[in-house]
Amino acid sequence: MHIAQHISLLPYNTFGIDVEASLFAGVSNLSDLQHIPASQPVYILGGGSNVLLSGPVNGLVLQNRLKGISIQQEDDKNVWLEAASGEVWHQFVLYAIDHGWGGLENLALIPGTVGAAPIQNIGAYGAEVKDTITQVTFWHLEEQRFITYSNGECRFGYRDSIFKNELKGKAFITSVVYKLSKHPVLNTSYGAIEQELSVMQVTEPTVKDIAAAVIRIRTSKLPDPKVTGNAGSFFKNPTIARSQYESLLHQFPAMPHFPVSNELVKVPAAWLIEQCGWKGYRKGDVGVHDRQALVLVNLGHASGNEIWQLSGDIIASVVARFGIELEREVQVW
Ligand SMILES: Cc1cc2nc3c(=O)[nH]c(=O)nc-3n(C[C@H](O)[C@H](O)[C@H](O)COP(=O)(O)OP(=O)(O)OC[C@H]3O[C@@H](n4cnc5c(N)ncnc54)[C@H](O)[C@@H]3O)c2cc1C
C-alpha cells in the first residue's frame, strides 16, 4: 500500500470540496488493511457521496478499491450474493437486475459503494438495504482482525447502523452479503413508480422495469453531482411524538406526515425546509436545490465550512418555526 502526501480530495467527494488530505492511500487488497499505520487518525472513503469535508483532513484517508462479486450460496428461491465493499453500488444493482434477481431494484442509481450501503442503511422508493443484507464483514482497526456481523448485529435503523455509532471510525467494511430473490415480489407502491411505469407503457413490470422507472424519476428530480456538487439528502426526516405533530397541525394544517408507530410520526424534512423559505436559496456558491429542498448544493467553489454554516442556519430556522431539530444525514469530517 503506497501512502501519498498532500493529496487534493476534490476528485473524491461529490460535494466537490477542494481540501487536502495530509496522507492518502488506496486499499486494493485485504492484506493492505494489516499495514495501516496506527500513528494517525484514519478516514475511510468510498465514493465520497455522503461526506462533507469541512476542512483539510489531518490523517490518513483510505480510499476503498476492493473489488469482486461472487455467489456465496443459492437455492431454488434465493441467491446470496457477496460483494467486495469497493464495488460501485449502482453497478452492483445492475448486475443483480441483469440476472433477474430482485431486492435491490428500488435502490438503483444511489451513488457510492457497496461497503457504505450498510453504514447508513441506504434507502429510497420504499426500500431499505437492511431488508436484503444477511452479513457484513469488516476489519476492526483497533483489534486488527476480521469480524462478520449478522443482520441483527448491525442494528440497522432509519439511515442508521452500529457502524455510525459504536463502531464509527473503527470498522473498515470489506464485504457484504445480500440475499436476493429469484422470484421477486415487486414494490411499486412508493412515490411516482406506478405513474412512471404507465408513462413507460409497462403493464407487467420486471425488476429491470422498476429500476428503469426509479432511474428516470431520480434523474428528473435530483441534481447530478458531476454537474452540481451535492451529497443527496443533507438531513434526515425527523421523527416526532404524535402529540407534538397534532398540536403543530392546528397551526400548520397542511403538514404532511408518515406514521412510524402509535406514538411516533415522521415529518418530511424537505417540507419543513421549504416552509422556512429555503428552497432555491443561494448565497455566494452555496445554496439549496430549487427542486429538492433537502439537497444542499455547491454552485461553484464553496468551502465545506460554508455548507456547514448554511446547514446550521437551516436547522436554526426550522427549530424557530416548528420546534423540530433536524439532524444531518451527511457525515461531517
Ligand atoms: C445525488 C445523490 C443522491 C443520493 N441518494 C440517496 C438515497 O436515495 N438514499 C440514501 O440512503 N442515500 C443517498 N445518497 C447518499 C449516498 O449516496 C449514500 O449514503 C452512499 O451509501 C454513500 O456511499 P459512499 O461510498 O459514497 O460513501 P462515502 O461518502 O465515501 O462515506 C460515507 C460514510 O461511510 C463511511 N464508509 C464508507 N465506506 C466504508 C467502508 N467500506 N467501511 C467503513 N466505513 C465506510 C465513511 O467513512 C463515511 O463516514 C445520495 C447521494 C447523492 C450525491
Side-chain angles (χ1 to χ4, degrees):
M1 186 171 69
H2 170 70
I3 300 181
Q5 293 187 17
H6 302 297
I7 296 296
S8 166
L9 295 177
L10 180 61
Y12 302 113
N13 73 101
T14 61
F15 250 130
I17 306 295
D18 191 5
V19 291
E20 271 191 1
S22 54
L23 299 168
F24 184 92
V27 173
S28 308
N29 298 295
L30 292 178
S31 57
D32 290 341
L33 296 166
Q34 288 159 34
H35 300 110
I36 299 170
S39 47
Q40 66 277 302
V42 166
Y43 297 84
I44 303 162
L45 192 64
S49 64
N50 203 27
V51 288
L52 173 64
L53 305 173
S54 61
V57 181
N58 290 313
L60 172 61
V61 173
L62 294 172
Q63 197 211 11
N64 184 2
R65 298 176 188 162
L66 298 172
K67 299 284 182 195
I69 301 174
S70 59
I71 292 178
Q72 194 204 47
Q73 190 190 332
E74 69 181 308
D75 60 23
D76 293 346
K77 290 183 186 153
N78 298 105
V79 56
W80 285 256
L81 209 53
E82 178 159 25
S85 56
E87 288 287 342
V88 172
W89 173 256
H90 182 59
Q91 296 304 321
F92 177 61
V93 173
L94 293 181
Y95 178 91
I97 287 166
D98 281 346
H99 288 80
W101 297 327
L104 304 178
E105 57 280 1
N106 293 47
L107 303 174
L109 211 63
I110 296 180
T113 52
V114 160
I119 307 267
Q120 73 151 0
N121 177 26
I122 57 169
Y125 295 93
E128 284 186 316
V129 78
K130 72 169 174 50
D131 296 332
T132 53
I133 290 179
T134 59
Q135 278 181 4
V136 176
T137 298
F138 59 93
W139 172 255
H140 198 299
L141 291 158
E142 288 173 1
E143 296 177 12
Q144 295 274 298
R145 64 187 181 108
F146 289 101
I147 299 174
T148 296
Y149 271 4
S150 65
N151 180 299
E153 287 171 304
C154 294
R155 288 200 234 135
F156 291 120
Y158 163 61
R159 298 295 174 276
D160 203 19
S161 74
I162 193 166
F163 304 106
K164 271 178 98 172
N165 295 287
E166 287 96 312
L167 287 176
K168 188 173 175 153
K170 293 182 184 158
F172 187 119
I173 293 176
T174 53
S175 67
V176 185
V177 178
Y178 298 87
K179 182 183 174 187
L180 305 179
S181 172
K182 292 183 174 175
H183 310 285
V185 178
L186 304 179
N187 176 0
T188 60
S189 58
Y190 194 88
I193 295 182
E194 263 170 13
Q195 199 185 325
E196 198 62 42
L197 288 170
S198 88
V199 174
M200 291 159 62
Q201 299 186 330
V202 173
T203 45
E204 288 181 29
T206 61
V207 285
K208 212 173 204 162
D209 297 319
I210 303 291
V214 168
I215 290 168
R216 284 165 64 114
I217 301 166
R218 292 183 69 96
T219 313
S220 71
K221 273 193 173 175
L222 290 168
D224 179 353
K226 289 195 191 94
V227 181
T228 309
N230 76 91
S233 303
F234 198 92
F235 302 99
K236 290 184 181 186
N237 290 319
T239 300
I240 61 172
R242 189 173 283 276
S243 53
Q244 184 184 3
Y245 170 73
E246 277 161 7
S247 71
L248 280 166
L249 209 53
H250 293 299
Q251 221 182 325
F252 307 100
M255 188 184 234
H257 77 292
F258 309 97
V260 174
S261 65
N262 280 344
E263 292 83 31
L264 299 172
V265 301
K266 209 180 269 180
V267 179
W271 187 86
L272 299 169
I273 296 168
E274 205 176 327
Q275 294 302 305
C276 292
W278 289 105
K279 198 175 184 181
Y281 171 89
R282 177 171 185 168
K283 184 181 175 191
D285 278 348
V286 296
V288 178
H289 193 248
D290 54 7
R291 271 173 290 153
Q292 173 50 272
L294 258 189
V295 178
L296 304 195
V297 284
N298 174 3
L299 296 157
H301 302 282
S303 70
N305 195 37
E306 285 171 306
I307 294 171
W308 168 261
Q309 281 184 10
L310 172 61
S311 69
D313 292 345
I314 292 172
I315 291 171
S317 72
V318 171
V319 168
R321 182 130 196 230
F322 297 102
I324 296 174
E325 180 148 8
L326 294 180
E327 189 188 333
R328 294 174 181 91
E329 178 183 310
V330 168
Q331 300 293 295
V332 182
W333 286 11

